[in-house]
Amino acid sequence: MQAFGLNHPNGQFMQVEIPDPVPRHGQLVIQPLAVGLNNRDRTERFNAPDGRFTIPGHDVAGTVVDAGTTDFKIGQRVLAHTDRAYADYVLATEDTAVLMPQSLKMDQAAALVTPGITAWRIVHRFATIEPGQTVIVKGANGGVGALVVQLATAMGADVIGIASARHQEAVIKDGALRAVPYDNADLVSVLANAGDIVINVAMDGVGFAEDVAMTRLGGQLVTVAHVNSRADSKAIDIVHVHPVAEPSDAIALGALAPALAVGQLKIQLAEELPFNLAGVQQGHELLGKPHDGRLVLVKA
């Protein structure tokens, strides 16, 4: 099969022929028809081992071509969170793949995978959201943040979204009762002690001191920041988002895909690119630049 990858850090992508994957017990083989691009893909490119061919990519929507010893059947439409996705065929497992609703488009499904799983775990695994609580979401217009806003709203929370001034309307459309621009407002002055739960999914979890100030006494701060931070004398619960195996990818995707299919969730696409060598190269160029929405490779 054909695959797109690279053999040294931050190298140029190349197309090579490699063996088709062979499923083991509990695995299935998927032919990707759409692949979502993520910052993790860029990290894999930057950190590719010298001299070893690396195939990035994780977010796949496509059809089953070999069901192995799973409950999936050949020809079924699936979406999956997997590895080495820039290829003609990829392996997935029963706990990382789910059937796609027939009404869900491949590009939308592929765009959902990583941000959807992350957002779902934040609101269901890391945060303790209850109806009527005020939930502040920092990074509310990002791929994960926009879904956190929608999911928290669906759980009955009163959501305040923090995003740039130009994204205020989009944050309100996602369900936030209020949007606050971080680029022309003093967040501490405007939102001091306003959040029962503050969720920071902005890049690198920037602004920890602000987050603490926005969290009420006894409240909860959930952040993607990878630092050992504490709130000093303020009594709040600090939760750092980190990789977890449970609930599984399949559980999260099984809840998200039907909601996306019927319009209860929405996800913004920035651009569709051809699933070929040129499209992969262009996609990674765009990943490094500001863009609104998800980038997706689509097979013609």
Side-chain angles (χ1 to χ4, degrees):
M1 69 174 182
Q2 297 295 315
F4 309 110
L6 56 154
N7 60 8
H8 62 273
N10 200 24
Q12 288 298 309
F13 281 97
M14 63 185 74
Q15 180 175 329
V16 301
E17 183 79 21
I18 62 173
D20 291 356
V22 178
R24 297 180 179 179
H25 181 79
Q27 293 182 322
L28 61 152
V29 179
I30 302 169
Q31 180 182 22
L33 299 178
V35 174
L37 303 182
N38 292 288
N39 285 329
R40 183 179 173 187
D41 300 11
R42 290 187 70 223
T43 299
E44 289 174 331
R45 179 184 181 187
F46 292 145
N47 298 326
D50 196 23
R52 190 176 78 191
F53 190 66
T54 297
I55 305 171
H58 301 276
D59 298 1
V60 169
T63 57
V64 177
V65 296
D66 191 339
T69 53
T70 72
D71 291 332
F72 291 93
K73 295 179 175 59
I74 293 174
Q76 288 180 321
R77 291 160 29 101
V78 294
L79 68 159
H81 188 218
T82 184
D83 296 314
R84 296 164 61 89
Y86 300 177
D88 286 340
Y89 304 106
V90 299
L91 285 172
T93 60
E94 291 177 303
D95 62 351
T96 62
V98 297
L99 293 177
M100 279 177 53
Q102 285 300 315
S103 60
L104 185 56
K105 296 181 179 178
M106 290 288 178
D107 55 356
Q108 290 277 314
L112 173 70
V113 178
T114 287
I117 292 171
T118 305
W120 193 90
R121 284 185 175 144
I122 285 172
V123 301
H124 290 287
R125 166 71 167 75
F126 294 105
T128 55
I129 299 173
E130 297 179 2
Q133 286 184 318
T134 296
V135 175
I136 299 175
V137 180
K138 183 188 280 186
N141 195 60
V144 174
L147 289 169
V148 169
V149 169
Q150 295 174 66
L151 291 170
T153 298
M155 296 170 72
D158 297 329
V159 177
I160 300 173
I162 297 173
S164 66
R166 70 188 184 91
H167 289 132
Q168 299 295 284
E169 184 178 350
V171 171
I172 296 298
K173 286 183 178 179
D174 282 336
L177 296 180
R178 180 183 177 192
V180 178
Y182 65 77
D183 46 358
N184 61 16
D186 183 335
L187 298 180
V188 174
S189 297
V190 174
L191 296 173
N193 300 304
D196 295 303
I197 299 176
V198 174
I199 299 175
N200 186 341
V201 290
M203 183 66 70
D204 298 324
V206 64
F208 180 80
E210 288 178 339
D211 301 340
V212 171
M214 293 187 293
T215 308
R216 68 165 177 80
L217 289 174
Q220 184 181 51
L221 168 57
V222 179
T223 177
V224 298
H226 300 297
V227 293
N228 294 321
S229 303
R230 56 192 180 89
D232 294 323
S233 60
K234 191 169 186 180
I236 63 175
D237 177 29
I238 300 174
V239 180
H240 291 279
V241 176
H242 58 276
V244 293
E246 295 293 337
S248 70
D249 295 342
I251 289 174
L253 292 174
L256 294 165
L260 184 63
V262 299
Q264 293 174 347
L265 283 179
K266 60 180 184 292
I267 194 161
Q268 182 181 357
L269 296 183
E271 190 166 349
E272 291 185 7
L273 304 163
F275 189 13
N276 56 28
L277 181 60
V280 169
Q281 292 172 333
Q282 184 182 359
H284 274 254
E285 292 174 3
L286 294 173
L287 276 174
K289 301 176 182 178
H291 55 277
D292 292 336
R294 310 302 298 173
L295 298 167
V296 182
L297 303 171
V298 178
K299 185 164 289 188

